[in-house]
Amino acid sequence: MTDNRKLVITNALIVTCDRDETVIEHGAMVVEGRDITWVGPGDALPAEHRVGAREWIDASERILMPGLINMHAHCGDSLFRGLVEDLPLEDWLQTVWKAEAAVLKDPADCRLGTMLGFAELLLGGVTTVMDMFWHADQSFDAAREIGIRLASGEIFFDPPGMDGFGPGDRPARAEALFDRYGDDDDLFVGTLPHGTYTVSPKGIHEALDLARARGGFLSTHAAETRAEQQTVRERYATGVIGHLSALGALSPRTVLAHCVHVDSQDIELLATSGTHVVHNPISNLKLGSGIAPLPEMLSHGVSLCLGTDGPISGNDMDMWLAMRLAATLHKGVNENATAIPAGEVLQMATINGARALAAEDRLGSITPGKRADFVLLDITGPHAAPIFDPINHLVFAAGRGDVRDVFVSGRQVVRDGRLVNVDLASLVAQVRGLQPRIRATLEADS
Amino acid sequence: MTDNRKLVITNALIVTCDRDETVIEHGAMVVEGRDITWVGPGDALPAEHRVGAREWIDASERILMPGLINMHAHCGDSLFRGLVEDLPLEDWLQTVWKAEAAVLKDPADCRLGTMLGFAELLLGGVTTVMDMFWHADQSFDAAREIGIRLASGEIFFDPPGMDGFGPGDRPARAEALFDRYGDDDDLFVGTLPHGTYTVSPKGIHEALDLARARGGFLSTHAAETRAEQQTVRERYATGVIGHLSALGALSPRTVLAHCVHVDSQDIELLATSGTHVVHNPISNLKLGSGIAPLPEMLSHGVSLCLGTDGPISGNDMDMWLAMRLAATLHKGVNENATAIPAGEVLQMATINGARALAAEDRLGSITPGKRADFVLLDITGPHAAPIFDPINHLVFAAGRGDVRDVFVSGRQVVRDGRLVNVDLASLVAQVRGLQPRIRATLEADS
């Protein structure tokens, strides 16, 4: 008798990414419906699971690991990938915003860019993304279609938004997102004030109150650049982190992207409040923002997770590159080869993201009882021989090209390197179709 | 009538990597025998080339670019990938050397590790590598078998080498390599003193005299770490670069790997002597060596090229990652988003490597008259849409997983992502077979 809800995987090298960093050679996993129900050595697989599964995957030559959790992205900006390069941050942002404002009023275009970003993430082994973009309803709908797990919400922003709405519209729009998507087990809804230099205390309070009332997260950009710190200091006589603390915005339900320019007092505030920090090394390097004090944050017990930022400060969203950088950048900058162990980085990219979403009971590791969000990674490549330690392999040598199969909530969304639910070629063709219009937004000005 | 020597490629987006950074949309290229004989827009392809080719490749959805030139590697260390992690440099090196000494006396094992490294490089779009490893005859033979263009030579080293030979053996062994491989158009022979802290002035002079006499290059590690600078200073009352200069070893036929710890006087010496510097950002970060002053070297006119270093300080040899880091690391460290333009980095990884090999007339760009060393890169991936500027795409978004076809001297060595001349699965199986013996070299000690 076949159980249509049951999937069994055998012969896998399982890197569980649980808090004990458990690795299982010749491992097996049973998925029933959306959940993992059994994990262990293959020869201990209970008899009841040896027959009758809907699907049986021989994962020889594969690492089985939890899907990566990218805690900071702007997927819709895929439309503008590579449009503006080699400019200092302020000029860069003004140019990007002008292009965005000219293109993004149409929700369908937002959806297109976001879908392309989701496609890239899934094909790269990311099963959950915290995304900040305009027309978040489009993002949630796109996430359901392609099958990625999405955390998002309404952006709060004092100037008129690229979506055509103003600050007065944000609370009601945010409420609508909670109403519409808040009960979906595959989605997380929160509020997303853009930053303390672009949102007044009133806006931050609105976003915070709403997140609390609805049990959602709050996420914002924080302390990304020196200029931002200076602006906030001039305005509020305290730095970004102190300002957020004074607003009551630091807590275990708060996720701060970047935290590059933080001092020891800031780090103490972040650690004691249980606030989560998303390290985005690719973006911080490329935009010249600086180097976040990751070793100091780690040693002070700050909850750290990992992100790619958007593909206009990237120019892609490669969590493998983010892991590699998180694990090596701080060794080089501090001339200390022991800074930031590989195991720590892998947790940042998996279970720590789950913790930051208040979902460590459901996500982030290959553990019975959790949702079946996982990746099968090819290890037949020349860079995968030998593997003395699979965790080091994942952090220092594996890459997006190794991702073969991806499952979210037990449903396969990438099969042998191809999307299951969306036609990538058509998506790429549509984005290329927009290219002349996007390029024209810059040329109109010059 | 078919010309068996002729290959025509059409519909390619050609990034020539010539000194003008020429890009040709809908481009065509004609290869006759080992050489490129025509490059231009497809609609200008001469009538004589429109018929009779042995092979006709439609390169729609592909970028055609020169093969990457990796100017510093230790391919044979693939055997030890990931064996020793999270140790400070000095302890790390001692442990690695112990493992090497226990394994590498057998030339066949050297050859196996080197072949695996070459496989990785070719599959990642590298057509020329400067490699420093024991038993270089094995490396040259392996290069001929798999089809990569190799620059290598005898390592000069004062202690007994991992190959079982001593400093007195080096000159004759070096001569033999020049005799045996020096006339091969696909190979470059030089001499490779390991470093100024491991080779006496006598050894450096021997290597230098031999390189000069035989028209070869000299390459060595230089100024990689603070400890190395201190050792050399204590021994010779001058730093590494000053010491090399005093020995007469700085010249356009000299290639120095690393140059992380160099001051403005060193940079001046490097620039005025025409010495080539290989930037190895992956290794410099992971081993905690530090950050090379790339912007300063660039602005002072030092000839810069790019390398990956070996897969034990990597843990792979990914030139795309090296490019990405060279282009972003210095922006972040200097908080200057305009440091090191992408076009400069692409030249470092292609035509500057050719220049460092005194072979810019033959290699490094898609130019008529040069050898047909080139790569066809897939641009159908989600990270490749849109492409506003192909040079930015190559440096900031492309990756090893995009490499589809690779040619060296007009011969195809990678076809649709697979090696033409060597069976990768068998190679990987052999390396895995050595794993227990390699691991045991460490356990014997503890």
Side-chain angles (χ1 to χ4, degrees), chain B residues 114-131:
Chain B
T114 297
M115 191 66 101
L116 181 64
F118 289 166
E120 185 192 343
L121 291 173
L122 282 180
L123 289 168
V126 173
T127 52
T128 298
V129 60
M130 166 85 85
D131 191 66

PDB file of all heavy atoms in Angstrom, chain B residues 114-131:
ATOM      1  N   THR B 114      47.377  16.804  -8.787  1.00  0.00           N
ATOM      2  CA  THR B 114      47.513  17.854  -9.792  1.00  0.00           C
ATOM      3  C   THR B 114      46.441  17.713 -10.870  1.00  0.00           C
ATOM      4  O   THR B 114      45.836  18.701 -11.295  1.00  0.00           O
ATOM      5  CB  THR B 114      48.922  17.784 -10.411  1.00  0.00           C
ATOM      6  OG1 THR B 114      49.878  18.058  -9.370  1.00  0.00           O
ATOM      7  CG2 THR B 114      49.088  18.802 -11.519  1.00  0.00           C
ATOM      8  N   MET B 115      46.186  16.471 -11.296  1.00  0.00           N
ATOM      9  CA  MET B 115      45.165  16.246 -12.323  1.00  0.00           C
ATOM     10  C   MET B 115      43.784  16.683 -11.821  1.00  0.00           C
ATOM     11  O   MET B 115      43.003  17.287 -12.567  1.00  0.00           O
ATOM     12  CB  MET B 115      45.149  14.775 -12.728  1.00  0.00           C
ATOM     13  CG  MET B 115      44.326  14.495 -13.958  1.00  0.00           C
ATOM     14  SD  MET B 115      45.020  15.242 -15.468  1.00  0.00           S
ATOM     15  CE  MET B 115      45.813  13.803 -16.188  1.00  0.00           C
ATOM     16  N   LEU B 116      43.486  16.390 -10.560  1.00  0.00           N
ATOM     17  CA  LEU B 116      42.201  16.824 -10.001  1.00  0.00           C
ATOM     18  C   LEU B 116      42.111  18.356 -10.006  1.00  0.00           C
ATOM     19  O   LEU B 116      41.068  18.929 -10.350  1.00  0.00           O
ATOM     20  CB  LEU B 116      42.028  16.295  -8.568  1.00  0.00           C
ATOM     21  CG  LEU B 116      40.707  16.661  -7.898  1.00  0.00           C
ATOM     22  CD1 LEU B 116      39.517  16.035  -8.629  1.00  0.00           C
ATOM     23  CD2 LEU B 116      40.696  16.239  -6.425  1.00  0.00           C
ATOM     24  N   GLY B 117      43.209  19.006  -9.647  1.00  0.00           N
ATOM     25  CA  GLY B 117      43.237  20.465  -9.692  1.00  0.00           C
ATOM     26  C   GLY B 117      43.038  20.996 -11.101  1.00  0.00           C
ATOM     27  O   GLY B 117      42.266  21.936 -11.326  1.00  0.00           O
ATOM     28  N   PHE B 118      43.722  20.398 -12.066  1.00  0.00           N
ATOM     29  CA  PHE B 118      43.551  20.827 -13.466  1.00  0.00           C
ATOM     30  C   PHE B 118      42.091  20.639 -13.906  1.00  0.00           C
ATOM     31  O   PHE B 118      41.531  21.475 -14.625  1.00  0.00           O
ATOM     32  CB  PHE B 118      44.458  20.015 -14.398  1.00  0.00           C
ATOM     33  CG  PHE B 118      45.930  20.331 -14.286  1.00  0.00           C
ATOM     34  CD1 PHE B 118      46.882  19.485 -14.854  1.00  0.00           C
ATOM     35  CD2 PHE B 118      46.379  21.470 -13.622  1.00  0.00           C
ATOM     36  CE1 PHE B 118      48.247  19.767 -14.769  1.00  0.00           C
ATOM     37  CE2 PHE B 118      47.742  21.757 -13.528  1.00  0.00           C
ATOM     38  CZ  PHE B 118      48.676  20.901 -14.108  1.00  0.00           C
ATOM     39  N   ALA B 119      41.506  19.516 -13.493  1.00  0.00           N
ATOM     40  CA  ALA B 119      40.100  19.259 -13.845  1.00  0.00           C
ATOM     41  C   ALA B 119      39.217  20.378 -13.321  1.00  0.00           C
ATOM     42  O   ALA B 119      38.367  20.918 -14.037  1.00  0.00           O
ATOM     43  CB  ALA B 119      39.658  17.915 -13.273  1.00  0.00           C
ATOM     44  N   GLU B 120      39.433  20.735 -12.065  1.00  0.00           N
ATOM     45  CA  GLU B 120      38.637  21.810 -11.473  1.00  0.00           C
ATOM     46  C   GLU B 120      38.836  23.114 -12.246  1.00  0.00           C
ATOM     47  O   GLU B 120      37.875  23.840 -12.533  1.00  0.00           O
ATOM     48  CB  GLU B 120      39.021  21.987 -10.003  1.00  0.00           C
ATOM     49  CG  GLU B 120      38.130  23.006  -9.315  1.00  0.00           C
ATOM     50  CD  GLU B 120      38.626  23.434  -7.947  1.00  0.00           C
ATOM     51  OE1 GLU B 120      39.471  22.741  -7.358  1.00  0.00           O
ATOM     52  OE2 GLU B 120      38.155  24.490  -7.489  1.00  0.00           O
ATOM     53  N   LEU B 121      40.083  23.423 -12.570  1.00  0.00           N
ATOM     54  CA  LEU B 121      40.373  24.678 -13.263  1.00  0.00           C
ATOM     55  C   LEU B 121      39.713  24.714 -14.638  1.00  0.00           C
ATOM     56  O   LEU B 121      39.050  25.696 -14.990  1.00  0.00           O
ATOM     57  CB  LEU B 121      41.885  24.880 -13.377  1.00  0.00           C
ATOM     58  CG  LEU B 121      42.598  25.161 -12.052  1.00  0.00           C
ATOM     59  CD1 LEU B 121      44.112  25.184 -12.264  1.00  0.00           C
ATOM     60  CD2 LEU B 121      42.136  26.478 -11.434  1.00  0.00           C
ATOM     61  N   LEU B 122      39.902  23.662 -15.426  1.00  0.00           N
ATOM     62  CA  LEU B 122      39.307  23.647 -16.769  1.00  0.00           C
ATOM     63  C   LEU B 122      37.793  23.767 -16.702  1.00  0.00           C
ATOM     64  O   LEU B 122      37.181  24.547 -17.441  1.00  0.00           O
ATOM     65  CB  LEU B 122      39.685  22.369 -17.521  1.00  0.00           C
ATOM     66  CG  LEU B 122      41.078  22.295 -18.138  1.00  0.00           C
ATOM     67  CD1 LEU B 122      41.254  20.950 -18.843  1.00  0.00           C
ATOM     68  CD2 LEU B 122      41.332  23.434 -19.128  1.00  0.00           C
ATOM     69  N   LEU B 123      37.173  23.011 -15.805  1.00  0.00           N
ATOM     70  CA  LEU B 123      35.703  23.059 -15.688  1.00  0.00           C
ATOM     71  C   LEU B 123      35.237  24.432 -15.219  1.00  0.00           C
ATOM     72  O   LEU B 123      34.094  24.806 -15.435  1.00  0.00           O
ATOM     73  CB  LEU B 123      35.210  21.967 -14.728  1.00  0.00           C
ATOM     74  CG  LEU B 123      35.333  20.543 -15.268  1.00  0.00           C
ATOM     75  CD1 LEU B 123      35.093  19.515 -14.164  1.00  0.00           C
ATOM     76  CD2 LEU B 123      34.336  20.318 -16.413  1.00  0.00           C
ATOM     77  N   GLY B 124      36.135  25.192 -14.593  1.00  0.00           N
ATOM     78  CA  GLY B 124      35.817  26.549 -14.164  1.00  0.00           C
ATOM     79  C   GLY B 124      36.271  27.612 -15.151  1.00  0.00           C
ATOM     80  O   GLY B 124      36.241  28.792 -14.832  1.00  0.00           O
ATOM     81  N   GLY B 125      36.708  27.200 -16.340  1.00  0.00           N
ATOM     82  CA  GLY B 125      37.012  28.188 -17.376  1.00  0.00           C
ATOM     83  C   GLY B 125      38.435  28.710 -17.372  1.00  0.00           C
ATOM     84  O   GLY B 125      38.745  29.677 -18.054  1.00  0.00           O
ATOM     85  N   VAL B 126      39.322  28.062 -16.615  1.00  0.00           N
ATOM     86  CA  VAL B 126      40.737  28.461 -16.609  1.00  0.00           C
ATOM     87  C   VAL B 126      41.461  27.668 -17.697  1.00  0.00           C
ATOM     88  O   VAL B 126      41.430  26.440 -17.688  1.00  0.00           O
ATOM     89  CB  VAL B 126      41.388  28.195 -15.237  1.00  0.00           C
ATOM     90  CG1 VAL B 126      42.890  28.447 -15.290  1.00  0.00           C
ATOM     91  CG2 VAL B 126      40.730  29.063 -14.172  1.00  0.00           C
ATOM     92  N   THR B 127      42.116  28.368 -18.610  1.00  0.00           N
ATOM     93  CA  THR B 127      42.833  27.667 -19.680  1.00  0.00           C
ATOM     94  C   THR B 127      44.344  27.681 -19.462  1.00  0.00           C
ATOM     95  O   THR B 127      45.053  26.881 -20.070  1.00  0.00           O
ATOM     96  CB  THR B 127      42.522  28.300 -21.049  1.00  0.00           C
ATOM     97  OG1 THR B 127      42.749  29.710 -20.959  1.00  0.00           O
ATOM     98  CG2 THR B 127      41.061  28.043 -21.441  1.00  0.00           C
ATOM     99  N   THR B 128      44.820  28.595 -18.624  1.00  0.00           N
ATOM    100  CA  THR B 128      46.256  28.651 -18.316  1.00  0.00           C
ATOM    101  C   THR B 128      46.431  28.784 -16.814  1.00  0.00           C
ATOM    102  O   THR B 128      45.762  29.607 -16.179  1.00  0.00           O
ATOM    103  CB  THR B 128      46.932  29.864 -18.988  1.00  0.00           C
ATOM    104  OG1 THR B 128      46.819  29.751 -20.399  1.00  0.00           O
ATOM    105  CG2 THR B 128      48.409  29.950 -18.613  1.00  0.00           C
ATOM    106  N   VAL B 129      47.334  27.985 -16.267  1.00  0.00           N
ATOM    107  CA  VAL B 129      47.614  28.091 -14.839  1.00  0.00           C
ATOM    108  C   VAL B 129      49.119  28.108 -14.595  1.00  0.00           C
ATOM    109  O   VAL B 129      49.872  27.354 -15.222  1.00  0.00           O
ATOM    110  CB  VAL B 129      46.952  26.935 -14.043  1.00  0.00           C
ATOM    111  CG1 VAL B 129      47.457  25.569 -14.512  1.00  0.00           C
ATOM    112  CG2 VAL B 129      47.196  27.098 -12.533  1.00  0.00           C
ATOM    113  N   MET B 130      49.526  28.993 -13.699  1.00  0.00           N
ATOM    114  CA  MET B 130      50.889  28.967 -13.169  1.00  0.00           C
ATOM    115  C   MET B 130      50.836  28.125 -11.899  1.00  0.00           C
ATOM    116  O   MET B 130      50.234  28.533 -10.909  1.00  0.00           O
ATOM    117  CB  MET B 130      51.338  30.398 -12.839  1.00  0.00           C
ATOM    118  CG  MET B 130      52.582  30.487 -11.979  1.00  0.00           C
ATOM    119  SD  MET B 130      54.117  30.398 -12.909  1.00  0.00           S
ATOM    120  CE  MET B 130      54.316  32.126 -13.387  1.00  0.00           C
ATOM    121  N   ASP B 131      51.461  26.968 -11.947  1.00  0.00           N
ATOM    122  CA  ASP B 131      51.349  26.017 -10.836  1.00  0.00           C
ATOM    123  C   ASP B 131      52.707  25.770 -10.203  1.00  0.00           C
ATOM    124  O   ASP B 131      53.710  25.613 -10.906  1.00  0.00           O
ATOM    125  CB  ASP B 131      50.758  24.693 -11.335  1.00  0.00           C
ATOM    126  CG  ASP B 131      50.385  23.772 -10.197  1.00  0.00           C
ATOM    127  OD1 ASP B 131      49.449  24.138  -9.448  1.00  0.00           O
ATOM    128  OD2 ASP B 131      51.011  22.711 -10.038  1.00  0.00           O
TER     129      ASP B 131
END
